[in-house]
Amino acid sequence: MEMVAEAERFSYPRGEEQQVLSHESPPARSSGAHSVKLGEKLERSDSPDASHQSPAKRIKLEGAGNFNLQSDPASHGERRNGVAPIKAEYLLYPLGTGSTGGNAAANDDAAEAAAHYEPSNTYSSTSGSTKRKEKAKGQNTNRNFGSSRDQVGLCSTRTNKPEFSPDECPFGDKCKFEHDLRKYLKEWKREDLTTFGAVCPVWDAKGSCGSGWKCRFVGSHMNEQETEDGKKELVLLEKPRNGDVVKSGAISNGSQTVNDVSTQSKTDLMKRKFKTPKADVWTHWLETREERLSNRQATNSKDSAGDGVEDEDKETRNKIIDRQEQDENRACYAEPPLRPAEKRKVYFGPETPVLAPLTTQGNLPFRRLCVSLGAQITYSEMAMSLPLIQGQKSEWALMRAHESEITPPAYSSKKPVVELYENANDLKFGAQIAANKPWQAVKATETLTELCPHLRVVDLNCGCPIDLVYRSGAGSALLDMQGKLEKILRGMNAVSGEVPITVKIRMGTKDNRPNALKLMDKLVYGGFESEDFGGGGSGVAAITLHGRSRQQRYTKRADWEYIADCAALVNEFNSQGDALVDTAKDLDERVQPASGKVFFLGNGDCYSHVDYFDHIEKAKVDSVMVARGALIKPWIFEEIEKGQYLDKSATERLALIEQYVRYGLETWGSDEWGIGTTRRFLLEWLSFSHRYVPLGILEHLPPNLQDRPPAWRGRDELETLLGSANYRDWMKIRSATSPIAFSQHELT
């Protein structure tokens, strides 16, 4: 493996000052510390000189050399809690010397709803001061951010057409874009990239490139041909299935995605022309019901104050009022067009590991990569209901799925858990939404199921801990509004057609105050208001529980004992059914879950196949949803499928990164915008994947997701660079055997 930079590198905490190691000898350390010789100095932030450090910090550093290694548990081969057990020969500093340089606890809120952060606060949080920070004024003319666009763009009427195309621009001479193709290619378009052997990955995979002349690899699918009148014409080329390259008059980008919502549908949503009759009927019924309940509460409150009427007369009057209200309810009640039992049957089991919905990181290329590695169930990134209803393009783009996600998931026919389940009609991809009001969730659900025909389930997010989402009343805020949550889920069930409804929750909002068990009892058996909705439970097909509270975010370990307690409740419901419910309620079978049972999934700290099967066996969950574990090592699904550890080499990991880049370019395009988008999401993923510690350098297995490694170096230069938290090191990653490169000259 030929590398641009040779380095023995270790991973640093994000946002922490990093030491500079040069070709000179390292500073003196305690006995046993080995020196590190670098082939090239890595890009790091200069640490301040010791003379300028605070007295407390100097004392701490000076005292580090007197650490007694005999008191270190790692020196006796024991595993230290919270520290990745890296073999001594791969440590840059011996454990306990005070110079660990390892990764601090990362802010893993980025794994869930990262796109819904509030703007950064302008007040100081470290000093406790309430004074507003002074904003730097003036223009910094020395900054040059560059541009991801051509200096002069090519008119869209020329993008996919031959040079002498007769099509005319509707704007004529007033068009601000270039129409002279040769001038655009020579003067305005940036030079072609040499990545992937200078061959366009989109053209190579699909046979045509939708970016046309704007493609940064256009040289691989263009040619100059002589016309009948002797002129030289630039044309785009197609690549048929037999491999012969032919001329094409106009290139059309062959789509491999599903759930592509038309522009007209999004425009109708924006103009409020898109009809949602089922949602409107259900919302009107709910509003009428709420109004009646409010009037009844006002009447009861007035009666309780005393109006001189005898108790017997009050009781008689209340009975008459109750009878009248029942008659009104029967007259106003709108039968939902579909009940949960009429929905498509789904299945979750040990053979169906689930990729969690991951905002920003859970994009289409990453899901496609995980599916290729064995993920059986995938979810879209969390979409907010109101922007969906308003037809915002950014939210509807989240519903796109690759054709590999609409294939049936794995299923073992040896155990027919679900009666009449047809695996051939099942698919992998589901959508997740968040809402703070019943009408928003119901309207968004009907719109989704109408415009996106390839949905396995629609999942309601009740676990997002981000403040901006929580304070709006969505996400984990619904855990404290269980009545509203039940209404939302019942309404979604009423309008979703044949698509089942699922829900993802957390243990609760506060530490040491979990309420998920109480909530699940309402969702499975039905809450206080269940009779008004036809009785029975909410009809959800599956419940996923993240074993942490909102306050806990991603700190500490997930509580799988609590998950096991909740699983016992669901399993009890599934095994005994209506026998456990009050016999006086006479539940209608139509309100029961579509598959005849409620599937229950656990989520939290699944980082290996050992964790996966251990949770299924001990917690008695149907399956496990994997989130950060997949971001750090997406081949965890391959480990689960094969039932063994996979110590991926640096070359194999680089190949996965290359595959992700190819998928990204196929999704977003190979023009300037597509390459910039791919690079952005690639860096988002690398901010997680660099935290992977290779199995071959660990003393003990299994690895733990919450463990933070001390300063370490890899088994080769590439592995060391892949484990770096410094993005400058990522730009040095290049291999002679792999065409991918991250240098500024290659991906910008």
Side-chain angles (χ1 to χ4, degrees), residues 8 91 166 169 214 251 254 268 270 274 284 333 382 384 394 448 460 504 518 586-587 633 662:
E8 291 179 344
L91 292 174
C169 177
K214 295 181 180 180
I251 298 295
D268 291 343
M270 182 179 61
F274 190 86
H284 175 71
Y333 179 71
M382 184 185 73
M384 302 302 293
S394 58
L448 272 175
L460 180 67
K504 185 174 185 288
K518 180 180 178 181
D586 293 331
L587 290 181
K633 61 168 193 179
R662 288 182 178 272

Side-chain angles (χ1 to χ4, degrees), residues 619-694:
K620 305 302 180 184
V621 295
D622 293 300
S623 186
V624 177
M625 181 176 283
V626 187
R628 289 179 300 161
L631 288 172
I632 297 174
K633 61 168 193 179
W635 60 92
I636 184 176
F637 299 105
E638 194 176 357
E639 290 186 347
I640 293 171
E641 182 179 359
K642 296 181 178 179
Q644 64 181 22
Y645 290 108
L646 297 176
D647 186 14
K648 294 283 186 181
S649 66
T651 306
E652 291 175 305
R653 292 169 60 194
L654 183 60
L656 292 178
I657 296 175
E658 176 187 337
Q659 195 63 50
Y660 176 83
V661 173
R662 288 182 178 272
Y663 291 161
L665 295 178
E666 290 180 31
T667 302
W668 296 302
S670 54
D671 57 353
E672 288 284 357
W673 184 88
I675 287 176
T677 304
T678 300
R679 188 172 186 272
R680 170 200 164 193
F681 287 112
L682 172 64
L683 295 176
E684 291 270 6
W685 177 34
L686 290 177
S687 69
F688 281 90
S689 66
H690 82 271
R691 290 161 52 183
Y692 172 71
V693 180

Side-chain angles (χ1 to χ4, degrees), residues 413-452:
S413 58
K414 297 178 181 179
K415 286 179 58 180
V417 179
V418 180
E419 186 178 358
L420 301 179
Y421 168 70
E422 297 182 4
N423 180 254
N425 296 332
D426 203 356
L427 60 158
K428 294 183 173 71
F429 179 73
Q432 188 186 65
I433 63 173
N436 60 356
K437 293 181 175 62
W439 73 267
Q440 292 180 6
V442 173
K443 203 174 187 70
T445 300
E446 183 176 1
T447 306
L448 272 175
T449 54
E450 183 71 22
L451 297 179
C452 299

Side-chain angles (χ1 to χ4, degrees), residues 334-402:
E335 180 74 15
L338 284 176
R339 290 287 192 170
E342 298 171 302
K343 302 194 181 298
R344 185 194 312 118
K345 297 183 184 300
V346 294
Y347 169 76
F348 294 90
E351 65 270 37
T352 59
V354 181
L355 175 64
L358 303 165
T359 300
T360 304
Q361 285 80 16
N363 47 66
L364 189 151
F366 183 76
R367 298 198 310 268
R368 183 180 174 186
L369 179 67
C370 290
V371 168
S372 69
L373 294 171
Q376 298 300 320
I377 308 295
T378 62
Y379 286 91
S380 72
E381 303 173 51
M382 184 185 73
M384 302 302 293
S385 294
L386 190 58
L388 284 175
I389 299 169
Q390 295 171 342
Q392 289 190 13
K393 295 181 180 179
S394 58
E395 296 298 304
W396 280 104
L398 304 179
M399 298 299 115
R400 295 176 62 200
H402 187 258

Side-chain angles (χ1 to χ4, degrees), residues 591-646:
V591 301
Q592 297 306 299
S595 300
K597 62 173 292 184
V598 177
F599 291 98
F600 183 66
L601 291 76
N603 175 224
D605 295 346
C606 183
Y607 196 39
S608 67
H609 71 286
V610 174
D611 295 334
Y612 181 85
F613 291 110
D614 185 67
H615 295 329
I616 290 179
E617 180 182 355
K618 295 182 179 179
K620 305 302 180 184
V621 295
D622 293 300
S623 186
V624 177
M625 181 176 283
V626 187
R628 289 179 300 161
L631 288 172
I632 297 174
K633 61 168 193 179
W635 60 92
I636 184 176
F637 299 105
E638 194 176 357
E639 290 186 347
I640 293 171
E641 182 179 359
K642 296 181 178 179
Q644 64 181 22
Y645 290 108
L646 297 176

